[in-house]
Each structure stands twice: as C-alpha cells, then as structure tokens.
Amino acid sequence: MLGITDLSTYLVGLALIILLPGPNSLYVVSVAARRGPRVAYRAAAGVLCGDTVLMTLSAGGVASLLQTSPVLFAVVKFAGAGYLTWLAVGMLRGAWALWRGREARRAERQDGAAEAPKETMERPYRRALVVSLLNPKAILFFISFFVQFVDPSYAHPVLSFLTLGAWAQLFSFTYLSVLIFSGTFLAATFRRRKRLTAGLSAGAGAAFLGFAAKLSLASAG
C-alpha cells in the first residue's frame, strides 16, 4: 500500500521506539511540569518539527551520507552531546537554586512579574527543535528503520515517506500529549513541595548528562 512493504511491522516497531525514554520526551515533560500544558505544547511542536526535518533529510539521502561519513557523523554526534550537556547543567543549576529557595524569594520580590521573562529566555520551541535536530539516535532511527519500509520500485516513493512520516508524527503527538498532561498533574500535586521539585529537576538534569554520554559514545555503524 503506497509503496510501504510491511505497515503492521512498522507500526509495532514505531510504537516501541517512541515509548523508549529519550531527551525529547524528557524535556517536554519537564516543561509541562514547570510551565503547564500550553507552554509544553510549544516544546512538543519543536520536537515534531525537528523530526519532520530529519524525515525529509532521510528521504533525500542525507541520512545515508551521515552513515557513510564518519567525520560528518562525529560532528553531529558531539554537537548533540554538547548541547544536551549544556541543558543538563542549566537544569542542575536551576534545581540547586530552587533547593535553596532563591526562585521563591525572587518571585515574591517581583510579584510574579518574572514569569514572562523566564518563558522568553527558555524558548521551549527552539530548545526542543535543536535537541531533536542534534539527536544522533533519531538520525540513526531514520537511517536503519524508517527507510527500510519503502519499496524502491514504487513509482511514487514520496507518498511512501509521507505516509510513514504521518504515522510517526501521529504516534509522537499522542505520546507527548500523555506526557504533557501527566507532567501537569505532577506539577499540581507537588506545587508546594519545592525541595521535591528540585530533586526531580536534578534527576532530569542527571538523565540529560546520561543521554549526552551515550550520544558521545554512539557509532555510525
């Protein structure tokens, strides 16, 4: 159907891969817990746009170039690891400040006026987009899995890629929506427990460091 060789196998594999925890989903749920669903959907939009770009590059053969060029892959790999490390350091610093009560005192002094600047500085859409684009795990997925289900003899392969991409985006959007509202629920439950929130933020930052370490050790083959 539409040049797709085995849609049922693709959907099963897609579901399993999307359910695996990764930096994209972790960042989205972190934003949801801190800022609410409206801002978190901006981060989700960044993830979806980043995945769309990677799908397009995969269809155009750029992903195959990454697989065959160790130097280019290394650039993407270490750029992604570096960016994730930068995010992790920021989250750990924020957790430390929250633990010591700095953010609470600052919010009281400014009478809630700091909320808008914080949102502007964080820029969740841009941050999630960069995380997606610099994620070798996603690039390798589209190299080793996504293109495997396109029949090269099909007359209109673009339709095959569009269909597979639409399924991937539907799964991702559904999964991110579940994470967003779960994060909002957790935020409402622990809103007044600042130290617990700081502990969760520190744990997320440590996880980002782990993702960065794994990406830096990834191989193109």
Side-chain angles (χ1 to χ4, degrees):
M1 182 181 70
L2 296 177
I4 300 174
T5 57
D6 193 346
L7 181 60
S8 59
T9 301
Y10 171 76
L11 294 179
V12 172
L14 183 65
L16 293 175
I17 291 173
I18 288 178
L19 288 175
L20 290 175
N24 295 337
S25 58
L26 182 60
Y27 178 66
V28 171
V29 75
S30 173
V31 172
R34 291 181 286 109
R35 307 302 306 281
R38 186 173 183 177
V39 179
Y41 269 112
R42 298 181 193 176
V47 172
L48 296 177
C49 289
D51 286 347
T52 298
V53 172
L54 294 179
M55 291 176 195
T56 303
L57 294 177
S58 178
V62 177
S64 297
L65 177 63
L66 289 178
Q67 190 178 35
T68 57
S69 174
V71 175
L72 184 56
F73 179 83
V75 171
V76 175
K77 177 179 64 175
F78 289 111
Y83 189 75
L84 289 178
T85 301
W86 181 77
L87 288 180
V89 171
M91 296 178 74
L92 291 172
R93 291 180 61 185
W96 175 250
L98 185 60
W99 182 272
R100 300 188 62 179
R102 293 176 181 174
E103 292 188 4
R105 291 194 297 269
R106 182 171 56 193
E108 291 176 358
R109 288 196 303 267
Q110 298 181 359
D111 195 24
E115 191 65 22
K118 181 181 178 183
E119 179 179 345
T120 301
M121 291 177 60
E122 185 170 3
R123 297 174 181 172
Y125 171 82
R126 180 183 299 182
R127 182 170 292 188
L129 177 64
V130 174
V131 170
S132 296
L133 293 177
L134 296 180
N135 185 3
K137 175 185 174 182
I139 296 173
L140 289 174
F141 164 67
F142 291 122
I143 291 174
S144 61
F145 185 79
F146 187 73
V147 298
Q148 297 289 335
F149 296 89
V150 177
D151 185 356
S153 64
Y154 185 62
H156 305 286
V158 174
L159 293 178
S160 305
F161 280 105
L162 287 176
T163 303
L164 294 173
W167 277 109
Q169 296 294 59
L170 177 61
F171 276 42
S172 294
F173 178 80
T174 302
Y175 178 57
L176 291 176
S177 294
V178 172
L179 293 180
I180 285 171
F181 287 102
S182 297
T184 304
F185 171 77
L186 291 175
T189 302
F190 301 110
R191 183 178 294 113
R192 298 185 180 276
R193 304 177 65 176
K194 300 298 183 182
R195 291 192 174 184
L196 178 59
T197 302
L200 293 175
S201 297
F208 265 69
L209 286 177
F211 287 128
K214 287 183 178 180
L215 294 184
S216 66
L217 296 175
S219 60

